[in-house]
Amino acid sequence: MAGRAAPAPGALLCALLCAAAAAAGGGPGDNPAPGAFGHVYRGAVNISSERVYAFAYRSEPGQVDAVRVYVNSSSENLQYPILFVVRQQKGVLSWQVPLIFRGLYQRTYNYQEVSRTLCPSEPTPETRPSDQIIFVDVASMAPFNIAYELLVTRLKNFQLETNKAFNFTASPSQPQYFLYKFPQDVDSVIINVVSDAAYPCSVVSVQDIVCPVYDLDHNVEFNGVYQSMTKQAAITVQRKDFPGEQFFVVFVIKPEDYACGGSVPSSIHGNVNRTWNLQRTKNLQVTIVPSIKKSVYVQAMFFSFLSFLSFYLGSVVVAFVHYIRVQRKASAGRLSPEHGSGMMTSSHPISASTPEGSSYGAIDESSSSGGRQLGAPPGSDTDSSVEEESDFDTMPEIESDKNIIRTKVFLYLSDLSRKDRRIVSKKYKIYFWNIITIAVFYALPVIQLVITYQTVVNVTGNQDICYYNFLCAHPLGVLSAFNNILSNVGHMMLGFLFLLIVLRRDILHRRAMEMKDIYTLDYGIPKHFGLFYAMGIALMMEGVLSACYHVCPNYSNFQFDTSFMYMIAGLCMLKLYQTRHPDINASAYSAYASFAVVISLAVLGVVFGKNDMWFWVIFSLIHVLASLALSTQIYYMGRFKIDDPDSDMGMFRRAVMVLYTDCIQQCSRPMYMDRMVLLIVGNLVNWSFAIFGLVYRPRDFASYILGIFICNLLLYLAFYIIMKLRSSEKLLPIPMFCIVATAVVWAAALYFFFQTLSSWEETPAESREKNRPCILLGFFDDHDVWHFLSAAALFFSFLVLLTLDDDLDTVRRDKIPVF
């Protein structure tokens, strides 16, 4: 049945409708009936009948008109659907009722109510109105009549306005899209979409002004930029990406929620014919606000660089003040030439010389006694790495044998700094060269991979690949979140500054050695800088890899951001241990091999650690055994051996004897009480971590391992400082300032770190629920502030290790206790 004619909008429109009716002749029912906007047409169609409606309207100059078509059918017969075809001037749009959507595992969802927005007419430059005609064809191949309803309306609020919220409702079969035009003075905007309800899952898409518009679940990802959404979504759009300076914002409701982290309702399992009309509607609010201007980018870059250049300025001022103090003391005659270096090191730790033999070195145990002893002739530069084990029967051999020396109840630094200084220095430099090699081979593939990630995001428009804080993601060039990358500049600048400070100390120490200053020979901590250089390189690489990770942060590449954090924590622990144990510290090769094992476990944890119980059992077992093995080596100063080459049963006999003498016979008071207390507490902490991981199996496995490293480092640092004060040693003003600054800055940094703005442990849509606006200069978010503060905190932490024992520079090594 044909629709009722509405009053013609004008003589010209009447003529157009009549001409269309005459030109469309054919079978019965083929002649189009003039239709009226806003009127509901009811009818029925079958295989022998077809209904055609014609709607005409007048478009005003410079105005974009949009028409929405609503159809409904009470039939649930999927064999004979009703076909609706809409013909426009530049395109054809068609669909069927019931409309079928397919979900996961071939589930189907049928909708009997469908409404679609037709591709709007483009504004014409003409000064007079233009007339538009739309034909709606209704047909079916059913041998019986199928009833339907048809409603065509003109949209009054089709164009979105800047800074003005707009509310609407959408469903899977009734998607919505709207037009936005850039104002003259706006180059970038942020599309903010919010909803009170998390589900149903929806998709927000930004598409160019091209017909057809992809506004259904199966094609919304074909064009433009899109995000999945639960309660919140935000897309930054730049004028340069749309030559026409306008775009469509499309809203599609998914037929299932699994894409957003939800589950499929159990009531629909196996039911393929159930219809869903208004049961999955979602109320949405969209607001388009201008993004930041280019001047804000410049301000943010100046702020980032100037903030960390102030550290350089502070270091120069401190070094200059120290130089003036030393010169005044020297001119006043209170500083003798032969003691100048020692006083200089103790008066200011940052700019003065630092222990060279005392760094966390790469020393082979096999070279302990074979090297030149302290005070050996300068010409003897042997690098003996093999120590001949022989029976001793004279007192000098007993005193020099490391097995005897290291078993003394009370050890002093002179007992553990007997190796040749130059040989030890060469071995420790391996740390520096190895970490540079590792950095190059690690960083290059990472950079290549993240460039590929960013290219995929830009080409496909899929913003679910990367987990940004979209409410504060400022693009620059091909980078989607330039602010997250810029905020890592602090790690690189402060890492380089730390290298300069260490280099200055190294140069001052070499000059003192050339002057044969007594305080550089057998006083203070043996000075070595290889580990400090490695720490500076690690800090710089942490900035590089963190920036790479934030090019496209996601579940697969989080280890890029944490790998060098493991190395930083490990190097700090090695440096702290090497300070009082220069002859028995781990070699660079074994240390980096251990880091490689940790990073490998981190990768395996990311891949298998989600729900696999067997992985956590194996990892916890490895963790506990590694803690026990390391504790044994620390307790016995690296001289614990349970093998006996003369007897097959010697290994077991040795183990039983150790358990009897150290655990039963001396259980009331261990031979090395301080070490025993540290190791007991350390093992309790590590076993607690192992049990926690086994029970809760945290998804963020990389952060879990990092927490283990940090807790062990803090525990050892606290033990070291307590033992230092207990031994009547002093904390000079500079290390005390660095300790306080480290604690304060770390506390502030961790506060911002735990302000979670995104989470790759969840789906992209759920992660966006945590997004928050910028908090600093309108450019940086909480995580960027974490980057700034953590860089400063690591820098101060390094200075603590660099300056902690400067009070010992005028103390003989045979008076410095080992702990």
Side-chain angles (χ1 to χ4, degrees), residues 340-656:
S341 176
M343 290 298 294
M344 180 168 55
T345 58
S346 63
S347 61
H348 197 284
I350 294 182
S351 54
S353 60
T354 295
E356 178 166 307
S358 87
S359 82
Y360 272 82
I363 302 177
D364 275 344
E365 289 183 13
S366 58
S367 63
S368 63
S369 308
R372 182 170 60 89
Q373 301 295 320
L374 187 64
S380 62
D381 192 13
T382 61
D383 190 8
S384 174
S385 59
V386 179
E387 182 184 49
E388 295 183 1
E389 300 290 346
S390 61
D391 296 332
F392 52 83
D393 53 5
T394 62
M395 186 61 65
E397 288 180 338
I398 293 177
E399 290 296 325
S400 63
D401 188 87
K402 57 189 176 183
N403 291 314
I404 301 301
I405 291 175
R406 297 176 192 174
T407 56
K408 295 195 304 184
V409 177
F410 298 102
L411 283 173
Y412 293 93
L413 188 58
S414 57
D415 298 324
L416 298 180
S417 58
R418 306 172 65 86
K419 294 184 179 181
D420 182 270
R421 180 191 58 80
R422 289 176 295 178
I423 296 175
V424 170
S425 179
K426 291 179 181 178
K427 289 179 178 293
Y428 280 129
K429 288 179 181 178
I430 299 175
Y431 274 97
F432 173 67
W433 294 112
N434 278 9
I435 200 170
I436 290 180
T437 305
I438 293 170
V440 172
F441 280 91
Y442 191 92
L444 290 180
V446 168
I447 294 173
Q448 182 179 6
L449 179 61
V450 296
I451 290 175
T452 303
Y453 267 117
Q454 185 66 74
T455 302
V456 171
V457 172
N458 295 339
V459 171
T460 64
N462 183 3
Q463 295 198 352
D464 285 353
I465 297 176
C466 307
Y467 288 72
Y468 304 115
N469 174 20
F470 289 91
L471 287 177
C472 186
H474 303 297
L476 181 67
V478 298
L479 301 174
S480 299
F482 174 70
N483 54 301
N484 293 152
I485 298 173
L486 176 64
S487 58
N488 285 285
V489 70
H491 294 89
M492 290 175 274
M493 294 184 66
L494 293 184
F496 185 70
L497 176 59
F498 183 74
L499 290 176
L500 294 180
I501 293 174
V502 174
L503 177 62
R504 174 177 169 78
R505 281 184 166 242
D506 196 359
I507 293 174
L508 291 175
H509 173 68
R510 291 179 184 177
R511 290 177 180 175
M513 291 295 297
E514 292 173 358
M515 296 172 59
K516 298 182 179 179
D517 188 346
I518 187 175
Y519 288 106
T520 62
L521 297 178
D522 55 0
Y523 281 71
I525 302 295
K527 303 185 185 302
H528 169 69
F529 301 94
L531 265 169
F532 283 125
Y533 285 124
M535 290 160 58
I537 296 296
L539 181 56
M540 296 180 68
M541 286 307 303
E542 171 59 26
V544 172
L545 292 176
S546 178
C548 291
Y549 164 71
H550 283 91
V551 170
C552 182
N554 57 52
Y555 183 84
S556 301
N557 60 11
F558 183 68
Q559 62 267 24
F560 299 164
D561 193 25
T562 55
S563 295
F564 269 80
M565 286 299 294
Y566 305 146
M567 300 187 71
I568 289 174
L571 289 173
C572 288
M573 284 188 282
L574 286 172
K575 182 70 193 87
L576 201 56
Y577 185 78
Q578 181 273 335
T579 303
R580 307 275 173 153
H581 310 80
D583 284 0
I584 61 173
N585 204 32
S587 68
Y589 304 112
S590 60
Y592 287 127
S594 301
F595 297 152
V597 171
V598 172
I599 294 174
S600 300
L601 288 174
V603 174
L604 292 176
V606 169
V607 177
F608 301 108
K610 297 179 183 178
N611 299 308
D612 295 329
M613 186 65 183
W614 63 267
F615 171 82
W616 284 99
V617 171
I618 295 175
F619 174 78
S620 299
L621 184 62
I622 293 174
H623 187 189
V624 171
L625 293 178
S627 300
L628 292 174
L630 184 61
S631 300
T632 303
Q633 291 298 315
I634 293 175
Y635 186 75
Y636 291 102
M637 293 291 183
R639 301 310 305 161
F640 179 79
K641 293 183 178 180
I642 62 174
D643 58 326
D644 186 355
D646 298 330
S647 173
D648 296 335
M649 300 298 293
M651 176 178 66
F652 301 102
R653 186 181 301 110
R654 171 66 172 160
V656 171

Side-chain angles (χ1 to χ4, degrees), residues 222-274:
F222 289 178
N223 187 28
V225 178
Y226 60 91
Q227 295 179 0
S228 59
M229 171 190 165
T230 52
K231 289 187 175 182
Q232 181 174 255
I235 301 178
T236 300
V237 183
Q238 301 183 78
R239 181 195 293 265
K240 65 179 182 64
D241 296 330
F242 295 93
E245 299 183 352
Q246 55 186 352
F247 55 82
F248 290 136
V249 186
V250 184
F251 304 90
V252 174
I253 309 300
K254 303 284 286 185
E256 289 182 348
D257 295 330
Y258 68 89
C260 294
S263 58
V264 179
S266 58
S267 60
I268 60 100
H269 288 190
N271 188 349
V272 297
N273 293 323
R274 181 170 178 176

Side-chain angles (χ1 to χ4, degrees), residues 189-347:
V189 295
I190 300 178
I191 304 171
N192 294 326
V193 187
V194 295
S195 175
D196 294 334
Y199 299 106
C201 176
S202 57
V203 175
V204 181
S205 173
V206 176
Q207 302 180 19
D208 199 3
I209 307 295
V210 177
C211 294
V213 179
Y214 298 101
D215 60 348
L216 292 177
D217 172 60
H218 65 273
N219 62 16
V220 68
E221 301 174 358
F222 289 178
N223 187 28
V225 178
Y226 60 91
Q227 295 179 0
S228 59
M229 171 190 165
T230 52
K231 289 187 175 182
Q232 181 174 255
I235 301 178
T236 300
V237 183
Q238 301 183 78
R239 181 195 293 265
K240 65 179 182 64
D241 296 330
F242 295 93
E245 299 183 352
Q246 55 186 352
F247 55 82
F248 290 136
V249 186
V250 184
F251 304 90
V252 174
I253 309 300
K254 303 284 286 185
E256 289 182 348
D257 295 330
Y258 68 89
C260 294
S263 58
V264 179
S266 58
S267 60
I268 60 100
H269 288 190
N271 188 349
V272 297
N273 293 323
R274 181 170 178 176
T275 57
W276 299 76
N277 292 326
L278 299 178
Q279 300 182 30
R280 287 185 62 83
T281 60
K282 188 166 188 174
N283 297 320
L284 299 166
Q285 181 185 84
V286 56
T287 308
I288 300 182
V289 297
S291 185
I292 60 175
K293 298 183 180 296
K294 294 181 179 178
S295 59
V296 180
Y297 282 82
V298 178
Q299 295 174 7
M301 285 188 262
F302 270 107
F303 171 82
S304 301
F305 286 97
L306 291 179
S307 297
F308 294 105
L309 284 175
S310 64
F311 284 82
Y312 284 77
L313 179 61
S315 299
V316 171
V317 171
V318 170
F320 180 75
V321 171
H322 170 262
Y323 175 79
I324 295 299
R325 287 182 58 193
V326 172
Q327 293 299 318
R328 286 180 178 177
K329 289 183 179 181
S331 62
R334 290 178 293 174
L335 185 63
S336 61
E338 64 270 16
H339 294 80
S341 176
M343 290 298 294
M344 180 168 55
T345 58
S346 63
S347 61

